Amino acid sequence: MKVLYFAWVRERIGKTEEVVEPPADVTTIADLVAWLKGRGEEYAYAFENETVIRAAMDQLHVHRDAVITGAGEIAFFPPMTGG
Protein backbone atom coordinates (compact mmCIF):
# COMPACT_ATOMS: atom_id res chain seq x y z
CA MET A 1 0.00 0.00 0.00
CA LYS A 2 1.05 3.58 -0.52
CA VAL A 3 1.55 5.66 2.62
CA LEU A 4 1.52 9.46 2.36
CA TYR A 5 2.86 11.89 4.96
CA PHE A 6 1.86 15.55 5.27
CA ALA A 7 3.08 18.68 7.10
CA TRP A 8 5.32 18.05 10.12
CA VAL A 9 4.78 14.29 9.88
CA ARG A 10 6.45 14.45 6.46
CA GLU A 11 9.21 16.71 7.77
CA ARG A 12 10.03 14.39 10.66
CA ILE A 13 10.06 11.24 8.53
CA GLY A 14 11.89 12.91 5.67
CA LYS A 15 9.72 11.67 2.82
CA THR A 16 6.38 12.51 1.29
CA GLU A 17 5.32 8.97 0.46
CA GLU A 18 6.44 5.38 0.27
CA VAL A 19 5.10 1.96 -0.64
CA VAL A 20 5.08 -0.48 2.28
CA GLU A 21 4.12 -4.09 2.83
CA PRO A 22 3.26 -4.42 6.50
CA PRO A 23 3.06 -7.91 8.04
CA ALA A 24 -0.27 -9.75 8.03
CA ASP A 25 -0.91 -8.96 11.71
CA VAL A 26 -1.03 -5.22 10.95
CA THR A 27 -4.76 -4.86 10.39
CA THR A 28 -5.76 -1.40 11.68
CA ILE A 29 -4.51 2.17 11.47
CA ALA A 30 -3.24 1.84 15.07
CA ASP A 31 -1.35 -1.33 14.14
CA LEU A 32 0.17 0.41 11.13
CA VAL A 33 1.33 3.33 13.25
CA ALA A 34 2.90 0.95 15.78
CA TRP A 35 4.65 -0.94 12.97
CA LEU A 36 5.89 2.27 11.35
CA LYS A 37 7.25 3.51 14.70
CA GLY A 38 9.42 0.40 14.81
CA ARG A 39 10.97 1.18 11.41
CA GLY A 40 13.34 3.82 12.71
CA GLU A 41 14.03 6.85 14.81
CA GLU A 42 12.44 9.25 12.34
CA TYR A 43 9.13 7.32 12.42
CA ALA A 44 9.19 7.07 16.22
CA TYR A 45 9.69 10.85 16.35
CA ALA A 46 6.92 11.56 13.83
CA PHE A 47 4.42 9.36 15.68
CA GLU A 48 5.60 10.10 19.24
CA ASN A 49 2.21 11.61 20.08
CA GLU A 50 0.21 9.36 17.81
CA THR A 51 -3.18 10.31 19.23
CA VAL A 52 -3.00 13.76 17.61
CA ILE A 53 -2.17 12.44 14.14
CA ARG A 54 -5.11 12.04 11.79
CA ALA A 55 -5.44 9.37 9.14
CA ALA A 56 -7.25 8.97 5.85
CA MET A 57 -7.73 5.72 4.00
CA ASP A 58 -8.33 5.98 0.28
CA GLN A 59 -9.05 9.71 0.81
CA LEU A 60 -11.66 9.23 3.57
CA HIS A 61 -10.96 10.24 7.16
CA VAL A 62 -10.83 7.20 9.45
CA HIS A 63 -10.33 6.42 13.13
CA ARG A 64 -7.41 4.51 14.62
CA ASP A 65 -9.46 1.30 14.77
CA ALA A 66 -10.25 1.34 11.02
CA VAL A 67 -9.34 -1.91 9.27
CA ILE A 68 -6.76 -1.30 6.54
CA THR A 69 -7.16 -4.59 4.68
CA GLY A 70 -7.51 -3.83 0.99
CA ALA A 71 -6.57 -0.15 1.33
CA GLY A 72 -4.65 1.31 -1.57
CA GLU A 73 -3.53 4.46 0.19
CA ILE A 74 -3.15 5.62 3.79
CA ALA A 75 -2.35 9.25 4.59
CA PHE A 76 -1.12 10.65 7.89
CA PHE A 77 -1.32 14.33 8.83
CA PRO A 78 -1.46 16.53 11.92
CA PRO A 79 -4.68 18.23 13.04
CA MET A 80 -5.67 21.11 10.80
CA THR A 81 -7.09 24.47 11.69
CA GLY A 82 -8.90 26.96 9.57
CA GLY A 83 -8.14 30.60 9.31
Side-chain angles (χ1 to χ4, degrees):
M1 76 180 60
K2 182 188 283 189
V3 180
L4 307 172
Y5 307 105
F6 293 94
W8 56 257
V9 179
R10 176 189 65 233
E11 291 168 11
R12 291 179 179 187
I13 291 173
K15 55 179 84 173
T16 59
E17 66 181 58
E18 63 184 321
V19 175
V20 299
E21 292 184 35
D25 63 338
V26 174
T27 60
T28 66
I29 293 290
D31 293 341
L32 181 60
V33 168
W35 179 73
L36 287 168
K37 286 173 73 171
R39 295 185 73 207
E41 187 177 298
E42 65 276 22
Y43 293 94
Y45 179 48
F47 291 105
E48 69 182 342
N49 190 359
E50 61 190 73
T51 59
V52 302
I53 295 178
R54 305 296 181 244
M57 182 169 50
D58 296 328
Q59 300 182 1
L60 296 173
H61 289 261
V62 293
H63 294 284
R64 295 176 38 79
D65 60 353
V67 175
I68 63 171
T69 305
E73 177 183 281
I74 306 286
F76 292 106
F77 47 91
M80 295 178 256
T81 60

